[in-house]
Amino acid sequence: MARLSDLTDSMGRALESAQARTGEFLFEPTLRLGVTGLSRAGKTVFITSLVANLLNPGRMPQLAAARDGRLLLTFLQPQPDDDLPRFAYEDHLATMTGPDPAWPDSTRHVSQLRLSIRVRPTGFLTGFTGPRTVHLDIVDYPGEWLLDLALLNQDYADWSAGALALAEGPARAQAAAPWLQALRGADSAASFDEAQAQGLARAYTGYLTRAKDAGFSGCTPGRFLLPGEMEGSPALTFAPLPRPDKPGRDSLWTEFRRRFESYKRLVVKPFFRDHFARIDRQIVLVDALGAIAAGPPAVEDLRLAMADILRAFRPGPNSWLSSVLGRRVERIAFAATKADHLHHTQHPALTAIMEALVADARARAAYRGAQTRSFAIAALRTTIEQTLDHDGRQLDCVRGVLMSTGREAALYPGRLPEDPAMLLTPARRGAGAWLDADYDIMAFRPPSAALGQGMGPPHIRLDRVAEFLVGDRLL
Ligand SMILES: Nc1nc2c(ncn2[C@@H]2O[C@H](COP(=O)(O)OP(=O)(O)O)[C@@H](O)[C@H]2O)c(=O)[nH]1
Ligand SMILES: [Mg+2]
C-alpha cells in the first residue's frame, strides 16, 4: 500500500507541470470556493483533506460524481491569481499523513489552490456532451477578517467605546487587565508619540491574543492577530482610547483615529473587494465543540462572532459591501468541525447546535438567496468508536492516540443536549459554567495507518459537504 503523499506527489506534480499554461479555455467553468472560519477552526486541515479526497475519491461515496465513476481525472494546476500565495497542499498533506503524523502549522494569510476536475457529464451516454473540465479555485482566508466588516460602519470613537466596554466586562477582565493598566498611563489628548503608540498597540494585541486563547472569538481588528504582510505598518499600529474632551490636532487620539481610517481603507476594503466579492460557494468552519468545552462565556462569544461574520453574507442593500459584490454566493455550508471527538450518535446534536448558532442570521435576510446547510464533520478522522461499560452504564466513547502522551485512550466527551437551547440559553444569560454537564475535549493525533490505493485521508461527511458545495457543477 502506498502512502497518500507519495501517490499525490507523483500524480499531482507530474500533471501540474504537464498541464502548466496549456491555457484556460473560455468554456471551462470556474467555481471559486471560499473556506473560512476563526483561527484554529480547521481550515487548513479541511482544505488539505478535501483536495486529497478529491484527487483520490475512494472515500467519497456521497459525492455523486465520485460514486458514479464520473470523475475521470482530478489534478492540481497553477492558480489564476499571481498575487496570492499558493496553499501549501503538499507540505500540509505530508505533515498530516507522513510517517510521524502531526497537525499542520497555523497559517496567517489568505492563500489559494486550483483543482481541475475532468468529469463525464451525466448526459454522456445519451449522446451530446463529451467530458469537460471544471476548475475549482479554493481560497483560504481567516474568519477574523470578516469581523472587520463591522468596522466600516463605525468611526474611531464608536469602535473605541465598544472595545473598552467589552474589555471592562467580567468575562474578559482577566485577559484585558494588562492593557487597561497600560491605558491608565496614557492620555488620549497628549501629543502623539510613536513609542507610546507602539506600546499601546502591543498591549492591545496582547489582550486580543489572551482573549483568543481563553476561547473568545470576537476580537477586532482582525489583522492584529493575523497581521500578514502589513505587520508593523502604521495602519496596524493603533488601539482603542477613551475619548478626550478636546483632542488637539497632534494628539494621540487624532493620530489613532487617522490610522483606524487607514486600516479600513488599506486593509479591510481591499480584502472584501478583491477576494471576498468573487466567491461563488462558501464554507464556514466552526469549532463549536471547542467553545462548548471552554464553557458558556465562550459559547456566547462564539454566537456573537458568528452573527458578525455572517453579516458579510447578507449586507444591507445600500451598504458599501453590496456595491462591490460582483457575483452572488450561491451556497453556504456551515460546518461544526472535529466531530470525530464525538460518537456518531451525538452528531445530530452537534449539527443542531451549528444550526442554532447561525439561525438568527438565517431568519433575517436568508443570505441574499443563498442556499445554506449545516453539517457536523471531521476533515481528518482521528478516532474510532467504542462503547464501554461504566458502572453498569453504556458509554459511547471515541478512541484515539492522545497528543499529550502519545498513548491510545478512550474518551467520553460528555453528552450534548438534543435541544441546543439547553446550551445557548444559559450562555446568553451569562452563566459562568454548565449547570449539570461536563464537556471534555482532548487533542488526538492524526491517524498513522497507511492509506489504501485511491483513498484520501479518513474523514466524516467530507463527501456530503463536497456534494452540497460543488456536486451540482459536476453533473
Ligand atoms: N480531531 C480533529 N482535530 C482537528 C480536525 N481539524 C482540525 N483539527 C484540530 O484543529 C487544529 C486547527 O486546525 P487548522 O486546520 O490548522 O485550523 P485553521 O487555523 O482554521 O487553519 C488542528 O491543529 C487540529 O488540532 C479534525 O478533523 N479532527
Ligand atoms: Mg490555517
Side-chain angles (χ1 to χ4, degrees):
M1 255 190 313
R3 281 197 172 272
L4 178 74
S5 42
D6 303 336
L7 277 177
T8 47
D9 258 25
S10 51
M11 190 168 98
R13 282 247 175 77
L15 282 163
E16 190 157 12
S17 45
Q19 295 285 337
R21 307 292 166 203
T22 47
E24 205 177 309
F25 302 101
L26 284 174
F27 52 85
E28 290 181 352
T30 302
L31 203 58
R32 226 174 148 75
L33 170 65
V35 178
T36 197
L38 296 165
S39 85
R40 315 296 296 159
K43 299 179 290 295
T44 303
V45 174
F46 174 83
I47 295 174
T48 307
S49 183
L50 176 68
V51 170
N53 275 293
L54 286 173
L55 287 170
N56 302 277
R59 286 190 217 265
M60 300 290 273
Q62 296 297 327
L63 178 63
R67 181 192 56 220
D68 302 343
R70 292 187 295 102
L71 294 183
L72 301 178
L73 187 60
T74 305
F75 51 97
L76 295 170
Q77 286 217 74
Q79 62 192 58
D81 296 281
D82 287 340
D83 59 341
L84 283 181
R86 183 177 183 278
F87 181 84
Y89 166 70
E90 294 80 3
D91 295 347
H92 295 318
L93 185 69
T95 306
M96 283 161 49
T97 62
D100 186 14
W103 297 105
D105 288 339
S106 69
T107 44
R108 338 196 99 222
H109 48 63
V110 52
S111 66
Q112 190 189 49
L113 191 70
R114 167 167 282 196
L115 190 68
S116 295
I117 305 173
R118 195 146 179 80
V119 285
R120 194 179 63 221
T122 37
F124 185 65
L125 291 178
T126 53
F128 300 104
T129 46
R132 57 194 182 84
T133 303
V134 177
H135 303 293
L136 184 63
D137 290 342
I138 304 177
V139 185
D140 171 9
Y141 66 93
E144 280 79 359
W145 295 5
L146 294 180
L147 293 174
D148 280 346
L149 184 64
L151 302 186
L152 297 182
N153 297 322
Q154 294 174 19
D155 63 16
Y156 178 62
D158 298 336
W159 175 70
S160 283
L164 279 164
L166 196 61
E168 281 160 355
R172 296 184 176 211
Q174 204 182 349
W179 169 53
L180 295 175
Q181 177 71 29
L183 257 188
R184 266 173 233 123
D187 176 1
S188 316
S191 303
F192 174 77
D193 172 76
E194 183 62 40
Q196 186 185 33
Q198 288 180 15
L200 286 171
R202 245 193 326 273
Y204 183 65
T205 307
Y207 149 59
L208 294 182
T209 309
R210 282 187 298 278
K212 176 80 213 170
D213 291 345
F216 293 101
S217 312
C219 306
T220 58
R223 287 304 156 96
F224 278 36
L225 289 175
L226 301 157
E229 66 285 357
M230 286 182 73
E231 185 155 20
S233 63
L236 294 188
T237 310
F238 64 93
L241 288 173
R243 183 183 206 145
D245 291 335
K246 287 202 179 67
R249 276 186 41 205
D250 66 346
S251 65
L252 185 61
W253 170 273
T254 304
E255 177 61 12
F256 272 10
R257 187 177 61 192
R258 195 189 66 75
R259 291 182 177 191
F260 177 76
E261 294 303 324
S262 296
Y263 179 82
K264 292 201 266 185
R265 190 179 71 249
L266 300 174
V267 176
V268 182
K269 287 188 170 179
F271 164 69
F272 280 98
R273 190 183 53 223
D274 302 339
H275 301 303
F276 184 78
R278 295 164 58 206
I279 286 170
D280 303 297
R281 307 287 164 100
Q282 175 71 51
I283 181 163
V284 181
L285 301 172
V286 182
D287 184 10
L289 278 176
I292 293 167
V299 168
E300 176 60 3
D301 199 72
L302 175 63
R303 187 183 69 81
L304 294 173
M306 285 307 293
D308 279 344
I309 283 182
L310 299 180
R311 205 156 284 152
F313 296 102
R314 40 181 191 86
N318 300 317
S319 62
W320 172 82
L321 183 57
S322 21
S323 75
V324 300
L325 281 181
R327 0 186 166 180
R328 194 169 66 108
V329 178
E330 300 153 319
R331 295 182 177 207
I332 310 174
F334 300 109
T337 53
K338 313 179 195 182
D340 55 330
H341 286 275
L342 297 177
H343 192 271
H344 75 272
T345 47
Q346 296 220 51
H347 290 176
L350 182 59
T351 310
I353 289 163
M354 184 67 248
E355 190 70 32
L357 278 171
V358 300
D360 279 5
R362 171 185 288 189
R364 266 169 277 160
Y367 304 109
R368 306 173 79 225
Q371 213 182 318
T372 64
R373 193 173 302 166
S374 297
F375 297 88
I377 68 166
L380 185 61
R381 179 176 189 164
T382 62
T383 61
I384 53 166
E385 300 188 338
Q386 187 174 27
T387 300
L388 293 178
D389 193 62
H390 181 75
D391 295 338
R393 224 157 49 101
Q394 297 287 94
L395 284 187
D396 288 334
C397 300
V398 291
R399 187 175 186 85
V401 178
L402 295 179
M403 291 289 284
S404 49
T405 61
R407 298 240 175 88
E408 229 186 78
L411 168 77
Y412 180 68
R415 175 121 219 118
L416 293 177
E418 306 288 327
D419 178 3
M422 302 277 288
L423 295 178
L424 296 185
T425 305
R428 208 185 281 230
R429 293 200 179 128
W434 302 120
L435 204 51
D436 45 18
D438 200 11
Y439 299 103
D440 216 3
I441 296 294
M442 303 189 85
F444 291 112
R445 278 216 333 222
S448 56
L451 302 163
Q453 185 84 34
M455 298 279 186
H459 63 80
I460 297 172
R461 290 189 200 91
L462 209 53
D463 49 349
R464 288 178 195 268
V465 168
E467 175 67 20
F468 173 72
L469 288 171
V470 302
D472 62 315
R473 291 300 182 90
L474 304 176
L475 292 177

